[in-house]
Amino acid sequence: MSGPEKRALPALDLRLTQENLEDLYEYAPCGYCSCLPDGTLVKLNQTLLSWLGYTREELVANQCLQHLLVMGGRLHYETHCAPLLLLQNHVREISYTLRRKDGSTLPVLMNAVLLRDTDGQPLVVRVTLFDITERRKYEQELIRAKAQAEERREQLARANEQLTLQNGQLTRINAELDSFVYTASHDLRQPIDNMVGLFAELQRSATFHDPEAASMMGMFEEALQQILSTIAGLTEVVQQQRQLEQVPLEMVELQPFTEEIIRSLQPQISDQEATFELDFSAVPTLRLARPSLHSMLYNLLSNALKYAQPGRKPHVSISTARQEGLAVLSVQDNGRGIDLSRHRRELFQLFRRFHPEVVGLGMGLYLVNRLVHQAGGRVEVDSTVGQGTTFRIYLPMVA
């Protein structure tokens, strides 16, 4: 090596060349011992003696290597290790546990070589032992962590199985409830229609002299109409749910789709001089069943007109945004608002109404929430009484 490639080596301390080989053996960072083919110890280094707590005299020619092992290791040495040494003259990385003089144990990794005399007869076994206490702790920690992970995995599997079972039960219960509601509303319709007919005939043919009769008849007629509306609403909810389950998903362009819904509300819009503001630039399309999206938007927009603040022209903003991988469809109005401190928990319940002075059945928000959940999303609401309400529909984005 010459020129720029030549590197100066550090100066060598000559004392290092004079190291005592006996010291290298005695105080090596591993245990050394030599024994006869039957295991009788003939030589041990000081490191191994320090590990074991014995004096050299207690072991040399008085103990066998295998007798320093715990019972399981002793059996393994005699039935596996010793025969293997005779067969191939060496063994590599066999894990054993030494028994110290005080009864404590020390995990070690053993390498051994069998030397033979000139006639090929076994002469001596040279053994190297490495302290693997820290390695054993690490292995035990890994085993413990694996066992804990396996236990958690089994717990999670059981929880998932239970959740799947519960979801199946809920799906079945919902289907049964839908069938019950549909059947009940269908079966009730006929007797209620009969009552309406009988009441009409009663009004036509009967004469009442009580001055209170007219008001009572009016109240009875109103009650009949309310029952009919409720039955019709229940039937509509179940029918629409069943129909939507069969409708395929498609990419819907929000701008023309929303404009079409607004046109269908034109009579109300004209009467109230309502204005609309559309901004779908962030998310121009959504992948949904078209009837589901139509029902969501129609209910929210018609509610924005229905619950307008008296004396104020309705203004409705419909927009989209992206948030944490979700599409957010927002409908904001400047209407009467909802007292969420009182009604938040019942906001999406069937037949719940928060402005009794406005005609309605209390089905719109229930249906919106149900359709959104069916599409894998959620609905959030902000509202201030007298100022307006904002509905935000969070839906999965299409890749």
Side-chain angles (χ1 to χ4, degrees), residues 268-340:
Q268 296 168 259
I269 294 172
S270 298
D271 291 343
Q272 297 174 281
E273 300 181 24
T275 56
F276 288 82
E277 181 181 351
L278 310 183
D279 180 8
F280 302 117
S281 56
V283 183
T285 61
L286 288 175
R287 187 171 184 268
L288 283 171
R290 185 174 287 267
S292 293
L293 183 58
H294 185 280
S295 183
M296 293 178 204
L297 278 175
Y298 182 85
N299 276 288
L300 292 178
L301 297 185
S302 61
N303 277 356
L305 299 176
K306 182 187 298 184
Y307 297 102
Q309 178 72 10
R312 185 162 61 212
K313 295 178 182 180
H315 179 76
V316 185
S317 298
I318 309 104
S319 63
T320 54
R322 296 171 182 263
Q323 183 175 328
E324 298 178 355
L326 298 174
V328 186
L329 176 61
S330 299
V331 176
Q332 181 178 13
D333 65 51
N334 63 342
R336 298 169 185 248
I338 304 169
D339 186 352
L340 295 180

Side-chain angles (χ1 to χ4, degrees), residues 125-399:
V125 179
R126 290 178 179 172
V127 178
T128 306
L129 299 165
F130 298 94
D131 181 355
I132 58 170
T133 301
E134 294 304 318
R135 170 176 164 175
R136 182 66 57 82
K137 288 180 181 177
Y138 176 69
E139 289 174 346
Q140 290 173 346
E141 188 61 33
L142 282 179
I143 292 172
R144 183 161 50 250
K146 182 180 178 182
Q148 290 175 347
E150 183 66 22
E151 182 180 357
R152 291 193 186 100
R153 187 193 67 80
E154 291 178 358
Q155 290 174 348
L156 183 60
R158 289 193 296 270
N160 285 337
E161 183 180 351
Q162 185 67 22
L163 184 60
T164 301
L165 179 62
Q166 290 175 348
N167 284 340
Q169 291 174 340
L170 287 174
T171 300
R172 186 173 63 255
I173 290 170
N174 282 337
E176 291 172 352
L177 284 174
D178 282 349
S179 295
F180 171 77
V181 169
Y182 182 76
T183 302
S185 61
H186 181 272
D187 291 348
L188 285 171
R189 185 61 186 254
Q190 186 61 46
I192 295 298
D193 284 341
N194 291 340
M195 290 177 65
V196 171
L198 289 171
F199 181 70
E201 180 62 24
L202 181 66
Q203 284 180 310
R204 186 184 65 80
S205 59
T207 302
F208 300 95
H209 302 289
D210 189 336
E212 301 292 330
S215 62
M216 293 179 64
M217 295 286 282
M219 292 171 60
F220 187 77
E221 184 176 12
E222 184 180 343
L224 279 177
Q225 292 304 320
Q226 187 174 2
I227 292 173
L228 283 172
S229 297
T230 301
I231 291 174
L234 286 170
T235 304
E236 180 186 349
V237 167
V238 177
Q239 282 181 332
Q240 188 169 19
Q241 179 71 20
R242 289 179 172 179
Q243 292 168 359
L244 291 176
E245 288 174 354
Q246 310 301 322
V247 177
L249 304 182
E250 58 179 295
M251 296 300 298
V252 180
E253 292 283 346
L254 290 173
Q255 184 77 24
F257 186 83
T258 307
E259 289 173 352
E260 182 181 345
I261 295 175
I262 292 174
R263 281 194 295 272
S264 71
L265 295 168
Q266 197 58 46
Q268 296 168 259
I269 294 172
S270 298
D271 291 343
Q272 297 174 281
E273 300 181 24
T275 56
F276 288 82
E277 181 181 351
L278 310 183
D279 180 8
F280 302 117
S281 56
V283 183
T285 61
L286 288 175
R287 187 171 184 268
L288 283 171
R290 185 174 287 267
S292 293
L293 183 58
H294 185 280
S295 183
M296 293 178 204
L297 278 175
Y298 182 85
N299 276 288
L300 292 178
L301 297 185
S302 61
N303 277 356
L305 299 176
K306 182 187 298 184
Y307 297 102
Q309 178 72 10
R312 185 162 61 212
K313 295 178 182 180
H315 179 76
V316 185
S317 298
I318 309 104
S319 63
T320 54
R322 296 171 182 263
Q323 183 175 328
E324 298 178 355
L326 298 174
V328 186
L329 176 61
S330 299
V331 176
Q332 181 178 13
D333 65 51
N334 63 342
R336 298 169 185 248
I338 304 169
D339 186 352
L340 295 180
S341 63
R342 293 177 55 194
H343 301 303
R344 183 179 293 277
R345 290 188 177 182
E346 54 184 337
L347 192 61
F348 298 113
Q349 293 181 17
L350 192 59
F351 301 129
R352 293 295 192 275
R353 300 177 60 231
F354 312 111
H355 298 285
E357 69 278 10
V358 180
V359 176
L361 294 176
M363 288 176 47
L365 293 184
Y366 167 82
L367 192 57
V368 169
N369 189 55
R370 184 165 180 173
L371 292 173
V372 171
H373 278 276
Q374 184 182 351
R378 71 179 191 274
V379 184
E380 293 183 359
V381 183
D382 291 325
S383 189
T384 303
V385 175
Q387 296 184 24
T389 303
T390 301
F391 290 89
R392 295 184 184 87
I393 298 174
Y394 293 81
L395 295 166
M397 289 286 294
V398 178

Side-chain angles (χ1 to χ4, degrees), residues 23-59:
D23 281 349
L24 287 175
Y25 174 82
E26 289 293 342
Y27 300 103
C30 56
Y32 289 127
C33 68
S34 300
C35 58
L36 300 179
D38 66 356
T40 302
L41 293 164
V42 294
K43 191 173 183 180
L44 301 91
N45 72 343
Q46 189 57 48
T47 300
L48 182 54
L49 289 171
S50 299
W51 288 353
L52 295 171
Y54 287 102
T55 64
R56 200 179 305 274
E57 290 74 16
E58 288 177 306
L59 297 180

